Amino acid sequence: MPGMEVFETLESEVRGYSRSWPTVFTKSKDARMFDEQGAEYIDFFAGAGVLNYGHNHSALQQKLIEYIQSDGVLHSLDMATTTKRDFLVAFNEIVLKPRGMDYKIQFPGPTGTNAVEAALKLARKVTERNLVVGFTNAFHGMTLGALAVTGNEMKRRGAGVPLHDSVSMPYEGFFKDDLNTIEYLERYFETSGSGVEIPAAVIVETIQAEGGLHTATAEWMQQLQRVCHEHGTLLIIDDIQAGCGRTGPFFSFEEFGIDPDIICLSKSLSGIGQPLAITLMKPELDQWDPGEHNGTFRGNNAAFVTATETLKLYWQDDRLQKETLRKADIVRAVLEDIVATVPGLKEPELRGRGLIQGIATAIPDFANAVSAEAFKRGLIIETSGPESEVIKVLPPLIIDDESLKAGLEILKESVKAALPGALEAADREPVAV
């Protein structure tokens, strides 16, 4: 079957990204992707945050090839291997110790939602409480526990069953006024008539990567930590998409002056797109019984190889952090220019920080239209938010300046091209049925 026909015929209707970018990709390198027709695309998607270090990074690729050719262990469950040892030591020495962080490392399974499930389960075990607080517009994964603390209605509905032992509270800025949403949350905790029990944990993203690029401030996060500490509630940071350097520092919360009880990481952890997730916990919280939380794919040794090399290449100094922040300024300047110079954008709002930024508008389906126009012009870019109201810039951190600026120019052209049709559709009277 040629082209997309095989996917349309044989693959489940649940497929999503292949609908946004209807072509068959054959290869990729750094910040570029190529399809079977020979077309080239600049990648502002980066595997939904998996490819912070780009596609097929040559040094990581070589390490992986050498490991496979040496008959290195590929599958080991949670048995001890040299590659796991190397990763544990490197992560502790390169990431944790220089930041004054003391955590035990759990390998819960290969994906971000596995890291979240382990965090929720552990918090309930340690505190002997059931409730976990999530936030409006949050996204934490597609398994039932993670969905229960996710705000997106469509994703939650897909569970097919009631989602229990969770409650959603307003994220910073949710009411779009001066209401302090931490005071709102704290009032629920302190009032016996609120109907909300003291929770085992609060789980939060510093940037709601899938939920619209809403961004928490340091002050809000500090207040949230204070409330958690006062009530014996554990603070879980979901840094799955915003971590691994996406905002500049390795962790997205480093500059906030907070000390999370549990941290979830995945996405770009392996450096090359291999699935790998970890759940970090304060040592006193490591109260698991052996085998109490397990799974077949806890030991992705191929991912350990590239993850260790990634840490050595990029995180023994601050060069990548500085480069990410420099490129973030380039992105912000272009987004500001688009908002200032493209007439007709309704209620445009710049969101995000680091190399996860975007523009939200009040024009229905506009971000989707921009994404489609960008694809025609050779740019892969996705949307964010419960109504896909944000066009989301998420390039690899290592993207070269030429590709970054070329992609941003395509984005500006795409906004201009999508605007007339989007405005016409928004203004069109609904058809009577």
Side-chain angles (χ1 to χ4, degrees):
M1 298 181 186
M4 296 296 293
E5 185 179 348
V6 66
F7 306 99
E8 294 163 357
T9 303
L10 299 178
E11 190 178 3
S12 167
E13 292 300 314
V14 79
R15 67 189 186 282
Y17 293 121
S18 61
R19 299 176 189 272
S20 298
W21 306 305
T23 192
V24 181
F25 294 100
T26 59
K27 60 184 290 186
S28 56
K29 190 67 176 176
D30 300 329
R32 305 270 176 162
M33 300 182 71
F34 306 84
D35 70 15
E36 63 183 355
Q37 306 304 318
E40 180 177 337
Y41 300 85
I42 298 171
D43 186 4
F44 272 20
F45 174 56
V50 168
L51 299 166
N52 282 6
Y53 311 98
H55 296 267
N56 287 305
H57 188 293
S58 295
L60 304 180
Q61 191 180 57
Q62 187 59 38
K63 281 288 183 181
L64 185 55
I65 290 170
E66 291 172 0
Y67 183 72
I68 292 171
Q69 289 182 334
S70 70
D71 292 330
V73 175
L74 287 176
H75 180 261
S76 60
L77 291 99
D78 70 350
M79 289 184 281
T81 63
T82 54
T83 54
K84 183 197 281 190
R85 180 175 62 199
D86 291 345
F87 172 75
L88 286 168
V89 171
F91 194 85
N92 190 52
E93 295 296 323
I94 296 173
V95 176
L96 296 180
K97 278 189 177 181
R99 292 163 177 78
M101 299 171 71
D102 183 17
Y103 289 88
K104 296 289 287 294
I105 302 170
Q106 178 183 354
F107 300 103
T111 71
T113 198
N114 296 134
V116 170
E117 292 289 350
L120 301 179
K121 190 172 172 181
L122 180 62
R124 288 172 170 136
K125 175 182 172 66
V126 169
T127 63
E128 298 183 334
R129 302 172 184 170
N130 295 327
L131 185 71
V132 175
V133 170
F135 288 93
T136 51
N137 293 316
F139 179 78
H140 297 290
M142 299 299 288
T143 48
L144 291 183
L147 276 178
V149 289
T150 287
N152 186 289
E153 179 184 0
M154 185 270 286
K155 304 293 188 187
R156 291 174 61 89
R157 190 168 59 244
V161 296
L163 298 170
H164 295 298
D165 296 318
S166 65
V167 65
S168 186
M169 289 288 170
Y171 194 76
E172 183 171 19
F174 179 73
F175 294 111
K176 297 188 181 300
D177 55 23
D178 294 331
L179 176 65
N180 185 330
T181 57
I182 297 298
E183 292 180 0
Y184 181 99
L185 178 147
E186 189 171 21
R187 182 65 174 157
Y188 270 90
F189 286 10
E190 293 179 345
T191 305
S192 59
S194 70
V196 175
E197 62 189 74
I198 301 300
V202 170
I203 184 168
V204 64
E205 307 154 276
T206 65
I207 300 174
Q208 294 187 318
E210 301 297 326
L213 302 190
H214 303 286
T215 305
T217 62
E219 181 182 10
W220 190 85
M221 291 296 301
Q222 290 165 6
Q223 291 176 345
L224 178 60
Q225 178 173 264
R226 173 187 59 77
V227 171
C228 288
H229 285 178
E230 289 176 357
H231 292 88
T233 295
L234 301 182
L235 177 61
I236 303 171
I237 299 292
D238 178 345
D239 228 18
I240 289 166
Q241 190 166 146
C244 295
R246 179 51 59 179
T247 65
F250 187 86
F251 296 104
S252 69
F253 55 83
E254 284 187 38
E255 299 173 352
F256 287 0
I258 62 171
D259 186 28
D261 297 294
I262 300 175
I263 304 165
C264 301
L265 286 176
S266 184
K267 292 283 189 185
S268 278
L269 192 58
S270 78
I272 202 170
Q274 282 283 308
L276 178 64
I278 59 176
T279 303
L280 305 176
M281 67 207 71
K282 291 296 185 65
E284 64 272 17
L285 301 178
D286 187 17
Q287 298 177 24
W288 292 114
D289 293 328
E292 188 175 10
H293 186 87
N294 58 19
T296 303
F297 293 102
R298 288 164 290 159
N300 187 348
N301 289 278
F304 292 150
V305 170
T306 54
T308 300
E309 187 67 12
T310 300
L311 295 177
K312 292 177 180 178
L313 284 173
Y314 288 110
W315 294 105
Q316 298 195 91
D317 56 41
D318 63 357
R319 285 179 295 172
L320 179 64
Q321 177 175 332
K322 289 179 177 178
E323 273 294 284
T324 298
L325 295 175
R326 182 185 66 81
K327 293 170 186 174
D329 288 341
I330 294 173
V331 172
R332 179 60 58 143
V334 173
L335 297 185
E336 288 175 345
D337 179 64
I338 291 172
V339 168
T341 62
V342 178
L345 293 178
K346 293 184 179 179
E347 303 174 34
E349 179 184 351
L350 298 182
R351 295 184 185 170
R353 59 189 176 93
L355 280 179
I356 177 170
Q357 298 188 50
I359 302 175
T361 77
I363 305 171
D365 210 36
F366 178 60
N368 283 323
V370 173
S371 178
E373 291 291 341
F375 176 72
K376 296 176 187 176
R377 291 165 171 78
L379 177 68
I380 303 292
I381 190 168
E382 72 163 336
T383 66
S384 176
E387 305 296 333
S388 293
E389 70 274 16
V390 182
I391 191 71
K392 178 181 177 183
V393 178
L394 193 79
L397 307 182
I398 54 82
I399 189 171
D400 60 277
D401 282 13
E402 180 183 357
S403 297
L404 179 62
K405 292 175 181 177
L408 290 169
E409 182 60 32
I410 293 174
L411 175 59
K412 186 172 183 179
E413 294 171 3
S414 302
V415 168
K416 293 177 180 177
L419 192 57
L423 289 173
E424 181 181 349
D427 293 337
R428 191 179 299 130
E429 291 292 329
V431 178
V433 178

